[in-house]
Amino acid sequence: MKYNHIIFLPRNDFYWVCYSDLSQLDNCKLFRDIKTRSPFFSFLSRIHHSQKINNLIDLPFKSIWYKSFYDISFPKKRPLCFTFFVGILEPQWKRKFIEFLRKKYPTAKFVGYYTDLVNAPHRIVLNKPEAISSLFDELINYDREDAVKYGMSYYPTTFSNVVKSEACGKKKDVYFLGKAKDRFEKIISVFNQLTSSGLKCDFYLVDVPEEKRILKEGLHYIKYMSYEDNLNHIQNSRCILELMQSGAVGYTIRTWESIQFDKCLITDNLGLFNTEYYDNRYVSFINQEIVDVDYIKNYKRFNNPLKTKIRPKGFLSFIENLLTKEQNT
């Protein structure tokens, strides 16, 4: 590879799992968010950068922490490439950190990666790519249509070679985990179809208001689930349910999980059909909210041959090819 890569991931466990293969490379360092390496100074830094405090008074000298945020020594000297998962950059001081790096390493390359829709409801600044485009040499989007819409390069999320033994506990037919968002009625409709056909469901819905909840066996309402627990539920299930959020058509983590752990994928993402990741041996489409129950009942587990296609090392190769094209134009 041509570059030494420094990648700043969100704090979420699943990003660390999905990209963990890269930590084994001698030309790549992974960091969880932007924070100082010392626990004590991390505490002081959080106070200094507190959004609540800085909304009242903009505290000066935040840049004093920047040198403690990273260690970028590598065994072999190569050009540097910093990649930031854009979701961590809502606070202004984190964008200032990139400005600091650009001044310190004027020959380095900077890449921003959207792993959620640009116009997702939780975005405040980042729903306007032009607000951060000057910080980066390249912007990449995980969703194909979003990439076209906003003029970005496209590369889907990835999944590392995670090995899990079969979890203990009761086996279920279909597992779902996700925020209800605008999908609550669709989730319940699919749940009812599955359970009325005798299939055992294990559904975990995040942040559903009390007044909206429907109480049935197999429906669980939660605030949070660790990614380790999520992997245990996957191992205890024959099939994974994927229901796309409105406006999204790209690959999701559910697709990669089904490939990595040899599970059946039940999905309403019809855009998967004409891609290299579709295989009728493990994908069952939901069309107009109708589930193919017989497919699920007859599903036979097999060693999915697509595993090598979803590894994160391909993401680094893609970035390097982008930067090479940029230099040649």
Side-chain angles (χ1 to χ4, degrees):
M1 286 192 167
K2 300 177 181 178
Y3 289 85
N4 285 326
H5 292 268
I6 303 97
I7 302 177
F8 290 87
L9 303 169
R11 294 184 186 182
N12 312 51
D13 290 345
F14 78 88
Y15 285 107
W16 195 256
V17 172
C18 293
Y19 291 86
S20 59
D21 280 1
L22 299 182
S23 63
Q24 301 170 24
L25 303 177
D26 65 2
N27 72 319
C28 187
K29 288 183 180 290
L30 300 179
F31 296 98
R32 284 190 177 188
D33 211 337
I34 302 170
K35 59 182 180 180
T36 181
R37 288 170 284 156
S38 162
F40 175 70
F41 288 115
S42 180
F43 170 73
L44 295 179
S45 174
R46 285 199 304 272
I47 294 175
H48 199 173
H49 292 103
S50 166
Q51 196 66 43
K52 288 184 179 179
I53 296 174
N54 282 275
N55 282 342
L56 298 173
I57 179 171
D58 187 12
L59 297 176
F61 309 120
K62 297 187 185 70
S63 61
I64 63 172
W65 302 104
Y66 291 165
K67 290 183 180 179
S68 68
F69 284 157
Y70 56 90
D71 169 17
I72 60 167
S73 57
F74 290 94
K76 184 175 180 180
K77 188 174 181 180
R78 299 183 180 95
L80 296 177
C81 178
F82 293 88
T83 297
F84 290 82
F85 282 46
V86 166
I88 67 177
L89 298 177
E90 280 287 354
Q92 184 184 28
W93 71 265
K94 294 185 179 181
R95 302 193 296 276
K96 292 285 187 182
F97 174 58
I98 301 179
E99 293 177 1
F100 165 82
L101 289 176
R102 291 190 71 98
K103 290 178 182 177
K104 185 174 177 63
Y105 303 102
T107 61
K109 296 297 182 181
F110 290 79
V111 174
Y113 185 36
Y114 276 87
T115 56
D116 199 352
L117 295 177
V118 171
N119 204 30
H122 60 275
R123 300 214 185 279
I124 300 171
V125 175
L126 304 176
N127 58 2
K128 299 179 180 66
E130 62 272 17
I132 61 168
S133 59
S134 63
L135 298 175
F136 298 108
D137 299 287
E138 294 287 345
L139 281 175
I140 304 172
N141 197 301
Y142 88 107
D143 185 89
R144 191 186 302 274
E145 289 196 4
D146 230 27
V148 172
K149 180 178 179 181
Y150 293 98
M152 300 179 191
S153 298
Y154 162 72
Y155 197 86
T157 52
T158 70
F159 205 91
S160 289
N161 187 25
V162 180
V163 178
K164 290 284 294 180
S165 58
E166 287 290 345
C168 299
K170 293 183 179 179
K171 304 296 182 182
K172 299 296 176 67
D173 293 304
V174 182
Y175 170 62
F176 174 81
L177 168 67
K179 291 186 177 181
K181 297 183 180 179
D182 56 357
R183 305 173 291 180
F184 183 74
E185 287 74 18
K186 185 189 295 185
I187 294 168
I188 298 302
S189 172
V190 171
F191 176 87
N192 288 336
Q193 289 179 63
L194 296 172
T195 54
S196 64
S197 300
L199 293 169
K200 295 179 180 178
C201 292
D202 195 25
F203 280 31
Y204 290 81
L205 281 65
V206 182
D207 290 339
V208 177
E210 289 275 356
E211 65 275 9
K212 199 173 182 180
R213 297 178 182 181
I214 297 171
L215 302 180
K216 290 186 177 183
E217 184 179 356
L219 277 177
H220 312 278
Y221 300 96
I222 60 173
K223 287 289 184 183
Y224 168 80
M225 180 185 292
S226 72
Y227 198 67
E228 183 68 25
D229 285 345
N230 171 61
L231 293 180
N232 288 334
H233 284 288
I234 288 172
Q235 290 294 75
N236 272 334
S237 304
R238 294 175 58 248
C239 308
I240 300 172
L241 174 64
E242 171 189 71
L243 295 173
M244 303 295 284
Q245 61 176 310
S246 179
V249 294
Y251 310 114
T252 75
I253 195 68
R254 302 286 92 93
T255 306
W256 305 152
E257 289 165 347
S258 66
I259 292 172
Q260 175 64 19
F261 299 108
D262 304 320
K263 304 295 181 178
C264 169
L265 179 69
I266 308 162
T267 179
D268 63 351
N269 184 10
L270 300 182
L272 194 64
F273 183 77
N274 292 316
T275 74
E276 60 184 329
Y277 297 105
Y278 171 71
D279 189 317
N280 61 10
R281 291 177 292 174
Y282 82 95
V283 176
S284 175
F285 287 115
I286 300 172
N287 201 345
Q288 297 181 339
E289 296 193 20
I290 303 300
V291 183
D292 187 345
V293 174
D294 290 334
Y295 182 101
I296 299 169
K297 289 181 176 180
N298 295 324
Y299 172 70
K300 301 296 182 184
R301 183 174 178 175
F302 72 102
N303 185 22
N304 198 307
L306 298 173
K307 291 183 176 69
T308 57
K309 292 182 178 290
I310 63 176
R311 299 295 181 241
K313 192 173 179 180
F315 182 51
L316 297 190
S317 298
F318 178 80
I319 289 173
E320 295 202 355
N321 287 335
L322 270 184
L323 296 177
T324 299
K325 289 178 182 177
E326 174 200 307
Q327 290 174 344
N328 293 336
T329 57

